[in-house]
């Protein structure tokens, strides 16, 4: 088994944090995104979509998409449960993980990929107007999330979950995208501080 990893990129980091929370160690195969290694014939043979991360199992099976990889490890090692235990917990975590992934992390990625000069070779064509369109979307969702976090400790309830991992990675990625989090979102700020203090945040 080996995990093809893309370093500071958000999606590989989600998997590393998840594995750290589980206490699982997996051999890492670094993929240098800066030199476009993910576009190389060797890596394309692993994942034709040329994205990271990818998990190659001992029998040659390749799993891609960060949440699919996390679900695989959750099934192998159910504790601590990061996708929930009861039907309601599972549904709420799925709901918030998806919301944060689509409306926060996804929007931040659009800003970064379409406005950052270093992404010109990665995002072809770069459409600056699309990056600008997503800036207010980030703030709009942060406002919704802030109100929700005023009601509970974590994104989907009282327990840490994969939804919080996606949230941490998204908030940290705002810096790379040159996006500021408004100070009035105090509940988001409290949540971010708590998540960033977990040992897994350094993964």
């Amino acid at each position: 088994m080996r995990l093809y990893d893309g370093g500071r990129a958000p999606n590989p980091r989600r998997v590393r944090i998840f594995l750290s929370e589980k206490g699982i160690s997996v051999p890492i195969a670094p993929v240098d995104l800066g030199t476009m290694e993910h576009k190389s014939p060797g890596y394309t043979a692993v994942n034709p979509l040329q994205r990271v991360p990818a998990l190659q199992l001992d029998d040659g099976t390749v799993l891609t998409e960060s949440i699919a990889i996390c679900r695989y490890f959750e099934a192998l090692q159910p504790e601590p449960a990061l996708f929930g235990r009861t039907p309601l917990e599972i549904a709420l975590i799925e709901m918030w993980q998806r919301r944060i992934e689509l409306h926060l992390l996804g929007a931040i990625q659009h800003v970064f990929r379409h406005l950052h000069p270093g992404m010109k070779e990665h995002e072809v064509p770069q459409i600056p107007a699309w990056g600008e369109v997503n800036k207010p979307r980030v703030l709009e969702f942060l406002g919704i999330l802030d109100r929700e976090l005023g009601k509970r400790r974590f994104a989907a309830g009282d327990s840490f979950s994969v939804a919080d991992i996606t949230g941490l990675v998204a908030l940290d990625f705002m810096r790379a995208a040159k996006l500021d989090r408004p100070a009035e979102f105090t509940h988001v700020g409290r949540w971010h501080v708590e998540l960033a203090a977990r040992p897994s945040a350094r993964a």
Side-chain angles (χ1 to χ4, degrees), residues 19-73:
L19 292 173
S20 178
E21 289 284 341
K22 290 283 189 181
I24 297 173
S25 179
V26 177
I28 298 291
V31 178
D32 189 340
L33 303 181
T35 62
M36 308 291 281
E37 187 179 356
H38 58 298
K39 302 276 189 186
S40 68
Y43 186 70
T44 301
V46 174
N47 182 6
L49 292 179
Q50 300 177 329
R51 304 285 194 211
V52 287
L55 179 69
Q56 188 168 44
L57 305 182
D58 292 340
D59 67 358
T61 300
V62 175
L63 300 175
T64 65
E65 307 305 328
S66 55
I67 294 302
I69 293 170
C70 290
R71 284 194 176 277
Y72 175 76
F73 285 112

Side-chain angles (χ1 to χ4, degrees), residues 26-27 40-41 53 65 90-91 99 110 114 118-119 121 124 144 154 196:
V26 177
S40 68
E65 307 305 328
I90 292 168
R99 284 179 167 183
H110 288 317
H114 288 278
M119 292 301 295
E121 292 183 15
V124 181
I144 293 169
F154 293 110

Side-chain angles (χ1 to χ4, degrees), residues 96-105 141 155 163 166-167 191:
W96 279 104
Q97 141 57 31
R98 191 68 172 145
R99 284 179 167 183
I100 294 170
E101 183 176 55
L102 286 175
H103 302 294
L104 185 59
L105 179 57
F141 184 76
T166 299
W191 179 58

Side-chain angles (χ1 to χ4, degrees), residues 135-156:
K135 287 182 177 180
R137 293 178 176 180
V138 171
L139 297 180
E140 180 183 9
F141 184 76
L142 281 176
I144 293 169
L145 186 58
D146 190 70
R147 290 192 292 274
E148 291 293 328
L149 286 168
K151 306 171 189 175
R152 55 185 176 272
R153 181 179 176 188
F154 293 110

Side-chain angles (χ1 to χ4, degrees), residues 10-11 101 104-114 123 173 177:
N11 286 316
E101 183 176 55
L104 185 59
L105 179 57
I108 294 166
Q109 287 176 320
H110 288 317
V111 173
F112 177 75
R113 294 183 70 89
H114 288 278
E123 193 66 43
F173 199 55

